[in-house]
Amino acid sequence: MSYSRILSGALLALGLLTGTALAIGVDEPMADPAMEAKAREISRGLRCLVCQNQSIEDSNAPLAADLRHIVRERLAAGDDEAAIQRYLVDRYGDWVLLRPPLEPATFALWFGPFALLALGAGIILWRRRRPGAEPEAQALTAEERARLDSLLKDEDPA
């Protein structure tokens, strides 16, 4: 097999791999710069459902691109930020918001980490303060004391 054949095969494989990367295009910006800025601002407050703790503005996932497209469509149709968020929450739930509302259904999201931290600190304090948690120090016997003294005298200070 000749080197030119190997080289052409490698170039073909490289072309196929880069071709798929180039097929994923950038979002087409809106004609009005103010509307585009508003679309980006709204997108920064929405969670990518694939990447989880990343906004759809920052995500490269295809679903995030679809959500950015929906935001732009709804904005062009005249919806305001609240209407767009309501539409997406109705479709995907509060999870789509990077800052979910403070309501009983989301208390676990807001207060769960602090409750777990307090529970862990409480368990640590309880285990340290309970009686018998630390064994009592016992005095050395005369034989142990003599052995310790002889070992300490034999130590070389260098």
Side-chain angles (χ1 to χ4, degrees), residues 17-27 59-63 65 68:
L17 291 175
T18 57
T20 56
L22 295 174
I24 301 171
V26 216
D27 293 350
S59 175
N60 291 327
L63 180 59
R68 287 191 301 267

Side-chain angles (χ1 to χ4, degrees), residues 52-146:
Q52 301 203 352
N53 276 339
Q54 193 174 24
S55 72
I56 64 171
E57 180 66 24
D58 299 328
S59 175
N60 291 327
L63 180 59
D66 291 343
L67 290 174
R68 287 191 301 267
H69 184 70
I70 289 172
V71 167
R72 284 181 172 83
E73 277 181 349
R74 306 285 299 187
L75 202 55
D79 286 356
D80 63 346
E81 182 175 357
I84 294 169
Q85 285 183 350
R86 263 194 318 276
Y87 173 78
L88 291 171
V89 166
D90 289 344
R91 205 166 191 193
Y92 299 105
D94 283 331
W95 178 252
V96 78
L97 301 175
L98 274 173
R99 292 184 176 269
L102 183 61
E103 55 189 31
T106 59
F107 281 171
L109 290 173
W110 284 101
F111 304 116
F114 300 112
L116 287 175
L117 185 64
L119 178 67
I123 289 172
I124 289 171
L125 288 174
W126 174 72
R127 291 195 45 100
R128 291 187 129 205
R129 293 185 182 231
R130 69 181 180 163
E134 293 181 26
E136 278 188 37
Q138 296 177 354
L140 296 176
T141 62
E143 180 181 312
E144 292 170 334
R145 182 46 117 178

Side-chain angles (χ1 to χ4, degrees), residues 1-9:
M1 191 178 233
S2 68
Y3 287 112
S4 62
R5 226 173 176 179
I6 293 173
L7 183 61
S8 64

Side-chain angles (χ1 to χ4, degrees), residues 26-44 57 68-69 71-73 75-76:
V26 216
D27 293 350
E28 204 170 301
M30 299 179 82
D32 181 11
M35 293 282 275
E36 177 64 21
K38 186 69 174 167
R40 288 181 179 273
E41 180 185 329
I42 293 170
S43 295
R44 280 196 275 297
E57 180 66 24
R68 287 191 301 267
H69 184 70
V71 167
R72 284 181 172 83
E73 277 181 349
L75 202 55

